[in-house]
Amino acid sequence: QMKINYYPKCPQPELALGVEAHTDVSALTFILHNVVPGLQLFYEGKWVTAKCVPNSIIMHIGDTVEILSNGKCKSILHRGLVNKEKVRISWAVF
């Protein structure tokens, strides 16, 4: 399954949220991106923006792996933000 997210430029990004906080039900999620920051992970009680490395694929663990590992591997809470200056696009493959 694939989900394409399109986040238009937003002059006031602090007033908008692209995708609300969630975990993925899948085992693994692979995210291709257009090198515009906006993916945030909830880590140690705060939101951290993931680095956008050119020509990279972001991978994170979903709920299925957390269940199969009996909680040893945690599903990551994440969200998507809009950008003030650039269009952001991500392709999530589950």
Side-chain angles (χ1 to χ4, degrees):
Q1 183 178 10
M2 180 172 64
K3 180 181 179 185
I4 300 172
N5 297 301
Y6 175 83
Y7 308 86
K9 289 189 290 186
C10 181
Q12 295 179 294
E14 64 280 357
L15 300 178
L17 185 62
V19 174
E20 292 188 28
H22 66 283
T23 59
D24 294 337
V25 71
S26 62
L28 297 174
T29 302
F30 299 90
I31 302 172
L32 291 82
H33 54 86
N34 66 335
V35 197
V36 176
L39 174 64
Q40 288 193 325
L41 315 170
F42 196 69
Y43 180 72
E44 294 185 349
K46 62 183 178 179
W47 289 103
V48 178
T49 302
K51 291 181 182 178
C52 284
V53 177
N55 301 313
S56 69
I57 297 174
I58 298 168
M59 191 272 304
H60 63 80
I61 291 172
D63 299 340
T64 301
V65 169
E66 182 171 347
I67 292 165
L68 292 173
S69 71
N70 204 24
K72 288 185 179 184
C73 299
K74 300 291 184 189
S75 181
I76 189 72
L77 182 64
H78 59 285
R79 66 184 182 183
L81 302 180
V82 295
N83 188 283
K84 186 175 185 173
E85 299 168 358
K86 296 181 181 180
V87 168
R88 183 171 168 262
I89 301 173
S90 67
W91 298 262
V93 180
F94 307 95

